[in-house]
Amino acid sequence: QKEVEQNSGPLSVPEGAIASLNCTYSDRGSQSFFWYRQYSGKSPELIMSIYSNGDKEDGRFTAQLNKASQYVSLLIRDSQPSDSATYLCAVNEIGYQKVTFGTGTKLQVIP
Amino acid sequence: GAVVSQHPSWVICKSGTSVKIECRSLDFQATTMFWYRQFPKQSLMLMATSNEGSKATYEQGVEKDKFLINHASLTLSTLTVTSAHPEDSSFYICSARGQGRGTSTNEQFFGPGTRLTVL
């Protein structure tokens, strides 16, 4: 069974700090990796997608992928209170329609 | 690009009635749509996967006769909760994946969700 593991948190960081969110996955055949942000009471919003090993940067967000270690992370630089949300890691294996979601990490940015 | 809408955003109905929720991809063709359910403070739970023109594939434990899914076009999927009961009260969210401006092969884009309350 495909599994995606995340620490549920809450992860508390002070405003302006770097928030580091981690995710591990069990299926070595996974090829596509996604980070979603979900505010309380709202639906998930796609932040980043990453497909190859290394770093991918988009504004204050950096996704990091290490397929050998089956590990994907999301770094949020200069964290803001508005970044406080639950961050969902999602993994997809080519040839499979379904994306497997982690249970999410709750991030709290303290002003 | 890659906008998904849902209608209605919230609905209250009496026990025993049926409720239809629409999910539309506004600026891309959704070859695959997914329906999720989320209870308060819990994770997303995938209910079913639907491909345009095909029958939906339901997850284990989801009653296909209770949750009717239709994906008749590349921009519209509907979820009908039949004979709704209070335990069906939840946040129903669709997502879509497909082809078009602003999308990449495997990216899923979520609709804003529909909050269903069954009295």
Side-chain angles (χ1 to χ4, degrees):
Chain A
Q1 183 176 352
K2 300 178 176 61
E3 293 184 350
V4 177
E5 300 284 342
Q6 293 182 258
N7 188 316
S8 61
L11 172 66
S12 295
V13 300
E15 183 175 356
I18 296 175
S20 178
L21 304 161
N22 303 315
C23 172
T24 59
Y25 58 95
S26 63
D27 191 348
R28 284 195 172 274
S30 301
Q31 296 288 336
S32 305
F33 307 86
F34 310 95
W35 282 100
Y36 288 84
R37 176 177 62 198
Q38 186 176 24
Y39 291 112
S40 180
K42 303 294 185 181
S43 66
E45 172 191 11
L46 181 65
I47 298 175
M48 297 277 287
S49 55
I50 186 167
Y51 303 98
S52 55
N53 280 327
D55 295 359
K56 179 181 178 182
E57 186 175 320
D58 184 0
R60 295 186 297 112
F61 299 97
T62 299
Q64 299 175 319
L65 175 62
N66 184 325
K67 290 185 180 179
S69 300
Q70 296 176 237
Y71 171 96
V72 57
S73 65
L74 179 70
L75 301 178
I76 306 175
R77 289 182 299 281
D78 189 23
S79 295
Q80 300 297 309
S82 58
D83 295 326
S84 298
T86 296
Y87 288 80
L88 302 171
C89 172
V91 174
N92 179 227
E93 180 180 353
I94 285 188
Y96 287 84
Q97 291 187 324
K98 290 191 301 185
V99 168
T100 303
F101 282 87
T103 54
T105 298
K106 185 172 182 179
L107 173 67
Q108 294 178 339
V109 181
I110 311 300
Chain B
V3 178
V4 177
S5 70
Q6 261 184 263
H7 179 81
S9 55
W10 61 270
V11 57
I12 302 172
C13 69
K14 292 182 179 179
S15 185
T17 61
S18 295
V19 174
K20 179 185 282 189
I21 302 169
E22 291 187 350
C23 177
R24 294 181 185 272
S25 57
L26 298 185
D27 52 2
F28 67 104
Q29 294 184 326
T31 51
T32 306
M33 284 188 170
F34 305 86
W35 286 95
Y36 293 84
R37 181 167 54 179
Q38 189 174 36
F39 294 104
K41 299 189 185 303
Q42 294 190 21
S43 307
L44 286 174
M45 187 192 84
L46 179 65
M47 299 175 68
T49 302
S50 74
N51 292 300
E52 183 263 339
S54 303
K55 288 185 178 179
T57 301
Y58 290 81
E59 294 299 298
Q60 192 173 6
V62 178
E63 300 174 58
K64 63 180 181 180
D65 294 330
K66 180 170 182 64
F67 298 99
L68 302 179
I69 292 172
N70 183 281
H71 190 169
S73 78
L74 284 172
T75 59
L76 173 64
S77 176
T78 61
L79 167 68
T80 301
V81 183
T82 62
S83 186
H85 291 283
E87 58 265 28
D88 298 322
S89 299
S90 188
F91 190 40
Y92 291 86
I93 316 171
C94 73
S95 72
R97 186 172 69 195
Q99 301 170 356
R101 186 165 58 96
T103 68
S104 180
T105 307
N106 287 333
E107 291 176 342
Q108 278 188 44
F109 297 93
F110 283 85
T114 297
R115 198 163 300 281
L116 171 63
T117 301
V118 185
L119 302 176

